[in-house]
Amino acid sequence: GNSVTQMEGPVTLSEEAFLTINCTYTATGYPSLFWYVQYPGEGLQLLLKATKADDKGSNKGFEATYRKETTSFHLEKGSVQVSDSAVYFCALSDQSNTGKLIFGQGTTLQVKP
Amino acid sequence: NAGVTQTPKFQVLKTGQSMTLQCAQDMNHNSMYWYRQDPGMGLRLIYYSASEGTTDKGEVPNGYNVSRLNKREFSLRLESAAPSQTSVYFCASGRLNTEAFFGQGTRLTVV
């Protein structure tokens, strides 16, 4: 079945460091891929998405490229800020007629000043 | 725009008690979902509704029931709460193969 695997956290970085959070997936067909962010005490917010191979999603300085050959969708940011501290979830959209999302286990990012 | 609204935000139940979590969306989405979030487990799908009048089991449906009351509303019911159901519950809505929009969550503790 479809699944998403994320690198385990927590990830602790200093402000202005480079961030990579790895995400790989298993799916049949061509799922849409997403990164969500969850700030403490809040719900999930869509950070970025990509709907087909080689698409690059970007938002707020974060980027991720849909790589079908490696079944990956790694999240990157060139210079993190303390305000980026949150839990990040990689997800794919089930290509059935329900559109339900399948999530990875989440990666906690802590950025220190 | 309210988006997805869940009630209540917090709840403490005793083992064996019942309760219903309410969810409503104002984005005219066909699909609605209930997830639970547990540490280290990500979000796991409990039930979903692809359209008004239909519901289907997700990954972890045992101990729960749902009702798609109309296009806007999708409720989750715990008939006899157990400590294993202590979790944060999220309702979400969306369209086919696009992103889902999430509510703020319900933090449920079963003692």
Side-chain angles (χ1 to χ4, degrees), chain A residues 32 34 36 38 41-44 46 49 51 87 89 93-106, chain B residues 31 33 35 37-38 40-43 45 48 50 56 58 88 90 95-105 107:
Chain A
S32 295
F34 308 89
Y36 281 82
Q38 184 182 33
E42 298 186 9
L44 277 73
L46 179 69
K49 67 179 180 181
T51 59
V87 182
F89 292 94
S93 177
D94 188 315
Q95 291 297 92
S96 69
N97 62 355
T98 65
K100 60 185 184 287
L101 296 180
I102 296 168
F103 286 86
Q105 70 268 40
Chain B
S31 297
Y33 314 93
Y35 289 88
Q37 181 181 20
D38 302 292
M41 304 289 286
L43 275 78
L45 184 65
Y48 63 97
D56 285 287
V88 182
F90 287 100
R95 294 192 179 90
L96 183 64
N97 294 323
T98 66
E99 66 269 28
F101 294 83
F102 284 79
Q104 291 296 295
R107 189 172 297 273

Side-chain angles (χ1 to χ4, degrees), chain A residues 7-112:
Chain A
M7 65 184 286
E8 292 192 16
V11 174
T12 303
L13 295 173
S14 298
E15 205 164 24
E16 299 184 0
F18 185 86
L19 168 70
T20 300
I21 300 178
N22 290 337
C23 171
T24 57
Y25 68 90
T26 300
T28 55
Y30 298 88
S32 295
L33 300 174
F34 308 89
W35 276 101
Y36 281 82
V37 59
Q38 184 182 33
Y39 299 104
E42 298 186 9
L44 277 73
Q45 304 173 26
L46 179 69
L47 181 59
L48 53 84
K49 67 179 180 181
T51 59
K52 61 183 187 296
D54 299 325
D55 266 3
K56 178 185 283 187
S58 61
N59 186 26
K60 299 181 181 179
F62 291 90
E63 294 183 339
T65 301
Y66 188 162
R67 302 284 188 200
K68 182 134 183 83
E69 63 276 13
T70 54
T71 62
S72 65
F73 192 54
H74 304 322
L75 182 68
E76 296 182 335
K77 186 175 185 182
S79 176
V80 294
Q81 305 300 312
V82 172
S83 57
D84 293 327
S85 297
V87 182
Y88 292 82
F89 292 94
C90 185
L92 65 81
S93 177
D94 188 315
Q95 291 297 92
S96 69
N97 62 355
T98 65
K100 60 185 184 287
L101 296 180
I102 296 168
F103 286 86
Q105 70 268 40
T107 302
T108 299
L109 170 66
Q110 183 178 21
V111 181
K112 296 186 174 180

Side-chain angles (χ1 to χ4, degrees), chain B residues 4 7 14-15 18 21-22 26 30 36-37 47 52-53 55 58 70 75 79 85 87 89 95 98 101-102 105 107:
Chain B
V4 179
T7 56
K14 294 182 179 179
T15 296
S18 63
L21 281 64
Q22 307 287 353
D26 62 2
N30 285 326
R36 60 178 288 172
Q37 181 181 20
Y47 270 92
E52 186 178 352
T55 61
N70 48 55
S75 62
E79 290 291 351
Q85 294 177 306
S87 188
Y89 292 86
R95 294 192 179 90
T98 66
F101 294 83
F102 284 79
R107 189 172 297 273

